[in-house]
Structures are given as C-alpha cells and as structure tokens.
C-alpha cells in the first residue's frame, strides 16, 4: 500500500529559502569572478613589468617591450635610479558588475643596468598608456 504524507506546515519552505539565498549566492559568485579577473590582470602587469625592466636594463625601450604584454589600458612607468631600472605597470580591472567600484592593480619590477649601458640610453622617466 502507498502511504501519502501530508504536506503540513513545510509546504513551500524550499522556495522561500531559495528566494532568500539565491541573491547572496549570485553576489558571492560575482565577487569571486571579479577576484579571479583581478588576479589575472595582476599577473599580466607583473609579466609586462618584468619584460620592460629587462629590456630597459639592456638599453632598449622599456615601454615598447611592455606594450605587447601589458593588459588593455595599462599605464607603464620606467624610472632610472642610478644603476637600477624600476618599472611600474598599473592597469584597471573590469569588474563583472556595472555598479561595483573600479579597482586597479599595480606591479613593479626592478632590474640592474647591464654593464656598458649608459644612463642616456634610457630616459629618466617615461610614462605611457599602453596595451594591445
């Protein structure tokens, strides 16, 4: 014989819990995806800063080296401090929600100037908007 269980007072409780928990779950998912996007952008900035620092330490144009590896909309700054090349790359992170605040990530790399390279081969400070 089949016994039927009466719904009782629990009827619709799953729907109410889902309606209350779904916005929080979506907000958590949005925050997680934005964080993953920020980490990826930071990795791109670090790669571009390293490439630019190595190129500038060898006497080449650091900005040109960074432009190929930098995330879209990145700002590259190359500074010569004695025998050190300091490169800073700053890029905006696109949040996945239009109402979320915009953040930017920064990465810095330092390289020693190669022997035989004069300070005049690399300008004292360069700043540019770059990115593919």
């Amino acid at each position: 014989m089949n016994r039927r269980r009466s719904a009782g007072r629990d009827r619709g409780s799953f729907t109410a819990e889902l309606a209350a928990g779904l916005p929080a779950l979506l907000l958590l998912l949005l925050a997680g995806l934005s964080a993953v996007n920020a980490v990826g952008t930071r990795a791109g900035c670090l790669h571009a800063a390293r490439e630019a620092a190595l190129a500038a330490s060898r006497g080449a144009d650091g900005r040109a080296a960074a432009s190929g590896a930098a995330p879209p909309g990145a700002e590259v700054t190359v500074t010569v401090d004695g025998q050190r090349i300091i490169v800073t790359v700053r890029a905006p992170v696109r949040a996945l929600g239009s109402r979320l605040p915009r953040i930017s990530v920064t990465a810095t790399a330092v390289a020693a100037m190669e022997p035989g390279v004069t300070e005049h081969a690399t300008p004292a400070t360069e700043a540019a908007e770059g990115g593919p």
Side-chain angles (χ1 to χ4, degrees):
M1 275 225 157
N2 286 341
R3 288 189 206 176
R4 293 188 109 186
R5 196 164 124 194
S6 71
R9 299 172 76 184
D10 289 340
R11 184 174 192 129
S13 65
F14 177 74
T15 304
E17 290 170 0
L18 182 66
L22 194 58
L25 184 63
L26 288 176
L27 185 63
L28 185 63
L29 179 65
L30 186 67
L33 290 175
S34 294
V36 168
N37 192 13
V39 168
T41 303
R42 170 103 172 38
C45 287
L46 185 59
H47 177 65
R50 287 178 178 167
E51 289 292 323
L54 285 175
S57 71
R58 294 177 180 146
D61 185 16
R63 285 188 338 205
S67 67
E75 177 185 322
V76 178
T77 305
V78 178
T79 306
V80 177
D81 181 22
Q83 291 296 313
R84 296 184 324 162
I85 306 291
I86 302 167
V87 178
T88 303
V89 179
R90 178 183 306 260
V93 175
R94 295 182 184 188
L96 297 177
S98 62
R99 296 189 183 261
L100 293 176
R102 286 199 84 109
I103 59 173
S104 64
V105 293
T106 304
T108 302
V110 179
M113 197 173 294
E114 294 286 331
V117 176
T118 63
E119 273 189 57
H120 303 306
T122 306
T125 302
E126 304 172 356
E129 295 285 327

